[in-house]
Structure formats: structure tokens, C-alpha cells
Amino acid sequence: MTEQTETSQRPVLVVDFGAQYAQLIARRVREAGVYSEIVPHTATAADIAAKNPVGIILSGGPSSVYEEGAPSLDAGVFDLGVPTLGICYGFQVMARALGGEVANTGLREYGATDAAVVNDGGVLLGGQPAEQNVWMSHGDQVSRAPEGFDVLASTGATPVAAFGNDEKCFYGVQWHPEVKHSDYGQNVIENFLHKAAGLPADWNSDNVIAEQVEKIRAQVGTGHVLSALSGGVDSAVSTALVHKAVGDQLVAVFVDHGLLRKGEREQVENDYVASTGVRLVTVDARETFLNALAGVSDPEQKRKIIGREFIRAFEKVQADLVAEAAAEGEPIRFLVQGTLYPDVVESGGGTGTANIKSHHNVGGLPEDLQFELIEPLRTLFKDEVRAIGRELGLPEVIVGRQPFPGPGLGIRIVGEVTADRLEILRDADAIAREELTKAGLDGEIWQCPVVLLADVRSVGVQGDGRTYGHPIVLRPVSSEDAMTADWTRLPYDVLSKISNRITNEVRDVNRVVLDVTSKPPGTIEWE
Ligand code: XMP
């Protein structure tokens, strides 16, 4: 499979010093209407120059620039004549490289800190209140600003908490403007981008759509395209975008593996098709999946079977469609994938993260497919993908959908997956989702897996009779990126409503329990 290149927009480059903040900074830059990309700190000045950046932001990172093996930056980056903003660790790297001093004074600042704006704040902090709350996380401090730099803010422990040099268009802040806890954080980023670097706010979903449509048309020409729809946001939006570009040269395939939630197939077959006009082929593989999963309780084995069966089902329909198209003299040469920017960053980052679970996505298609890939979301974050989906007129039930794992309900039944158990779980899940939406909590939770403990039974009483049913687990979590998560403190009355309804309306369930584990140590899904 071959890769395509990214957007033609000139980026603001966020140099990643290995902390978790680089993606957040890149998102904040985009929220300010400026396109941004992340590069590792090992990129040389020449690598960076080759990307033709309109600005550079040095991210936070480990606590000391003096530590052995501390990530460094090619000093040539400061000779490129590109407006640069240093943040936290990046601020210290900048101070040192330009002749300032960084010292370990033994004074640390973590969390909310009072900062005083001095010298009117210059371009970076101008117009902001003289006293403000900023979010700090550092041990070392810049004890002397480089020559030619004005100090723009200070705190109790840090005399040089922000600085700027208008002539060079170099700025820095010790705090983290990208986190919401810094009162005027976004304003710092916007001042740097718009006022200091003079960049217009012209990165928005309209432009992305127009640019991608043009690019896809150029890539595809008169060729034909295949796309696998999962019902999730990414495949829905990438497919719609490609359809907007090439219309009926695209055919979408939807494999119903029987592990979907209530109404999901209909949402794809009816609402999605109605709003896009996409030509859709549905493969009903419910029986095949159930047969393949019979007798299997081990989570990893289930995941592998579901992944394998998905590929089989897809390959079968693919062969038919390819043959059909070829008979009409129009070979299918392209495949759409909903790869997002965080996947691109993470796979290029080589972080060596341990494989905790073998993920199956619609993206988990066979490696040896003879297709050229179209990945129109490669430069985008999830919230941007949603914005584009809305702009394209996709139904809210699909665009606003919370993450749902590729193996679906198959990994939310602890025990063997059977048609009967799927029906029970589907009913319980539909009730939980309905009540959470009704209570207006969808925005607050990242997702709420509903899990059936099919191998567990407990005694209950209903009416006058004894019951011996299964527990349902509610797993509401709050998260920024699913890498870590906390359990969401849902209001008791909402929990009570969900519990009452599930135990009353869903057969064989006589208990509802709440999972109050963070991630780590628990994962979000149970399997
Ligand atoms: P865990 O359980 O690893 O889940 O904490 C993290 C996020 O990933 C989702 N998830 C998956 N998504 N294919 C997917 O597309 C998978 O196989 C898969 N397994 C888990 C999960 O719902 C959560 O959002």
C-alpha cells in the first residue's frame, strides 16, 4: 500500500520533547485557526526548514535540561528566522540556546501558580490582567533571560516566567498555556500566532473539505474506490469526504458482524445513506461470526477471531465488487482509510508502547490488499473530524458517536458470545445510552461501555419470586485520549434510573453495578 502526502498548508511545527503535551498544543493552535503539525525534537534544522514552517512551538518535556539524556534541539533551528514560542521545557531549551541561564534553585512549582505580568506583557501577554493564574510543572527556572529579551512575567519562584524578543519574534513562557487551567492560555497562543507571527486564522473545516476534495480527485482520477464503513465517526467521515470528491466511483461496504448496538445498522443503512447518497453494500455476516465465536471465552482469542472473520467477510465482498467493476472496465484501485493524526504521530513516534490488547479496527484490513490508500483524515484530530462530518451534513447519531471498539459487543460479554446474550446486552446498552443522553451527559463522558457478566449469576428477588440472573456493569469514563481515564461521577438519580430500567425491562438481569476503577489500572473495556 502506498501513502499520500499531507496538506499543502504551511504548518506551525510543534517540536515534541517527549511529554504528553505536544498533541494538545497542536490542537490549540488549530483551534486558533492555524494549521499545525508535530515533529520529534530529533528533527534537524534542515528537516524543519524543509517543512517550510510559518512558526515553531517548542513543547514541554522532562523536568531538567541538565539531566543526562535530556532531549535536546538542533541549535540551528534558532537561525531559521521563523517565529518561535518556547513552552515550559521548550522555554528553557530556548533560553539556554540563546545565551540565557537556566538554574536549579531547588524551588519547584506544580499546579496553579500566581503570575504577575511585567513590562505590559509585550506582544505575548499584552492586554491580559496584571495578575493571573497559570499552570506550572517545573523544577528548573530561567534565572537570566538571553540578551535582547524582555522579561514579560514572573512568579514567586521564577523571576523570568515569560520573555520575548520582538525583533527576532522569539517568545517563551514557563507555564503551560495549552492546558485549560491556565487562565489566559489560549490567548497566549493566539497572541503568538496572530499578533507576533502575523498568521491569519484561516484553517477551518470548509478549507479542509475543499482541499481534500481537490486532492482526492487528483489522486483518483477516473479510478474506482472501495471503503469499509464501521458505523463509527472516522470511517463515516472519510467515506463521505471521498464520496463528495468522486461520487459514484465509490462503493462503501458495511459488514454487519452482529456485534453492533441497537439501531446501528439502520443508522448506517438509512440515515447515513440518505444524507450522503453513498452506494452501500451490506454484508450480513452475523451467523458466520457467531459460529466462529462459539465456545470461546478468552478475550484475546475473541478479538483475534473477530479480526480474522472481518477480513474474510471483507475479502469476499471485495472480490465480487472488484470482478464486477473490472467487467465494466473500471478497476477498483483505491481503498479509503479513516486514519487520524494521533495514529500517524503515534506510529511515527516509535514509543514502543506495550501491546495491552490486540485492537481490531475496520482499519485492520489485510496487509496485502492491492489497493492504493486514500486517507483524507491523516492530518486531523477527532474533534476536527466531527466538525467536518457536520459540515458534510452527516447525521448527529453518527458524527457525535462516542468511541466504540471494532470488536463491538463481542468484548463486552464476559464469557462466551451467544445470540441470546447479545440481545440482553443490546437492550441494556440501549437503555443506558438513552438515559445518559436524556440527562444531557453525553458531552461529559468519553464513553460508557455496558458490560454483561455472562458467566456470573447472583440471587435476586422480583415480585414474589427468587431470580438467579446476571449482573450488568456500567463503565462510564472521562478521558482526553483513552490512554488514561477516570470513572465519571454520574449523578445518583441518573444511575438509579438506568438501574431500575435495566432490571425491570431486560430479561435475565437482576443487578446493575458501577465500575469505579480508573485507567490505569483498569482498561476502559473489560476485555
Ligand atoms: P482500552 O480498553 O484499551 O480502550 O482502555 C481504549 C479505547 O479503545 C477502544 N477500543 C478499541 N477500539 N478496536 C477499536 O477500534 C478495538 O479493538 C478496541 N479495543 C478497545 C475502547 O473502546 C476505548 O475507547
Side-chain angles (χ1 to χ4, degrees), residues 303 357 359-361 403 405-407 446-447 482 519 523-525:
R303 283 175 170 275
K357 299 176 186 180
H359 273 214
H360 153 69
N361 293 315
W446 168 266
Q447 66 189 119
K519 172 184 178 175
T523 51
I524 293 176
E525 303 290 346

Side-chain angles (χ1 to χ4, degrees), residues 303 356-362 402-408 411-412 446-447 449 475 477 481-483 485 519 522-527:
R303 283 175 170 275
I356 311 286
K357 299 176 186 180
S358 55
H359 273 214
H360 153 69
N361 293 315
V362 169
Q402 287 162 353
F404 184 64
I411 54 162
R412 291 185 179 173
W446 168 266
Q447 66 189 119
R475 171 85 170 122
V477 291
D481 53 11
M483 301 295 284
K519 172 184 178 175
T523 51
I524 293 176
E525 303 290 346
W526 269 50
E527 295 200 324

Side-chain angles (χ1 to χ4, degrees), residues 231-258:
V233 185
D234 309 340
S235 66
V237 174
S238 51
T239 303
L241 205 45
V242 175
H243 184 257
K244 188 176 168 71
V246 303
D248 283 348
Q249 286 164 254
L250 169 85
V251 55
V253 174
F254 176 57
V255 177
D256 180 359
H257 51 26

Side-chain angles (χ1 to χ4, degrees), residues 179-491:
V179 306
K180 297 281 184 197
H181 317 288
S182 289
D183 283 349
Y184 296 87
Q186 185 64 11
N187 188 248
V188 170
I189 289 171
E190 286 175 6
N191 284 346
F192 169 68
L193 297 171
H194 305 317
K195 294 194 179 147
L199 303 173
D202 59 2
W203 163 263
N204 57 39
S205 0
D206 271 354
N207 293 349
V208 176
I209 293 172
E211 180 174 301
Q212 284 302 326
V213 162
E214 205 174 301
K215 223 172 113 195
I216 295 163
R217 280 188 188 144
Q219 189 187 358
V220 170
T222 56
H224 278 218
V225 188
L226 201 60
S227 179
L229 272 179
S230 68
V233 185
D234 309 340
S235 66
V237 174
S238 51
T239 303
L241 205 45
V242 175
H243 184 257
K244 188 176 168 71
V246 303
D248 283 348
Q249 286 164 254
L250 169 85
V251 55
V253 174
F254 176 57
V255 177
D256 180 359
H257 51 26
L259 308 169
L260 298 166
R261 291 176 294 180
K262 203 175 245 181
E264 284 185 328
R265 176 167 169 172
E266 293 72 20
Q267 280 160 13
V268 172
E269 288 190 320
N270 304 332
D271 306 356
Y272 184 76
V273 169
S275 66
T276 55
V278 155
R279 183 185 154 207
L280 180 74
V281 175
T282 302
V283 185
D284 189 341
R286 288 177 292 180
E287 221 178 294
T288 317
F289 275 79
L290 269 185
N291 289 340
L293 287 166
V296 180
S297 304
D298 177 69
E300 271 303 285
Q301 229 187 320
K302 281 194 215 170
R303 283 175 170 275
K304 295 222 162 86
I305 291 170
I306 294 167
R308 184 194 71 207
E309 289 305 321
F310 185 87
I311 289 173
R312 281 192 186 156
F314 185 81
E315 276 178 339
K316 204 154 157 271
V317 67
Q318 169 216 331
D320 291 347
L321 288 168
V322 165
E324 183 189 310
E328 288 167 13
E330 290 290 359
I332 298 182
R333 287 197 286 121
F334 302 92
L335 180 73
V336 182
Q337 291 228 302
T339 317
L340 300 194
Y341 193 49
D343 307 330
V344 175
V345 174
E346 271 147 36
S347 56
T351 50
T353 315
N355 183 19
I356 311 286
K357 299 176 186 180
S358 55
H359 273 214
H360 153 69
N361 293 315
V362 169
L365 291 168
E367 295 272 313
D368 55 352
L369 281 178
Q370 296 302 307
F371 292 120
E372 192 178 320
L373 289 185
I374 303 175
E375 298 182 293
L377 311 180
R378 264 182 82 83
T379 57
L380 303 175
F381 289 109
K382 193 83 166 190
D383 38 358
E384 295 169 330
V385 170
R386 291 206 162 98
I388 285 170
R390 292 194 175 102
E391 195 72 34
L392 289 169
L394 299 189
E396 192 57 34
V397 280
I398 289 179
V399 175
R401 175 165 293 168
Q402 287 162 353
F404 184 64
L409 300 181
I411 54 162
R412 291 185 179 173
I413 292 173
V414 179
E416 187 190 355
V417 178
T418 66
D420 198 46
R421 290 169 168 186
L422 280 167
E423 201 180 307
I424 294 173
L425 179 55
R426 216 173 264 133
D427 286 345
D429 173 82
I431 291 172
R433 281 194 291 148
E434 190 186 320
E435 291 302 328
L436 290 172
T437 303
K438 227 194 277 174
L441 291 164
D442 287 340
E444 211 164 297
I445 52 176
W446 168 266
Q447 66 189 119
C448 180
V450 174
V451 181
L452 173 66
L453 303 187
D455 286 346
V456 177
R457 279 178 179 274
S458 73
V459 175
V461 57
Q462 234 158 352
D464 288 334
R466 173 188 188 271
T467 59
Y468 194 43
H470 301 289
I472 281 283
V473 181
L474 302 177
R475 171 85 170 122
V477 291
S478 308
S479 177
E480 276 270 331
D481 53 11
M483 301 295 284
T484 59
D486 196 8
W487 60 281
T488 312
R489 276 61 169 174
L490 291 179

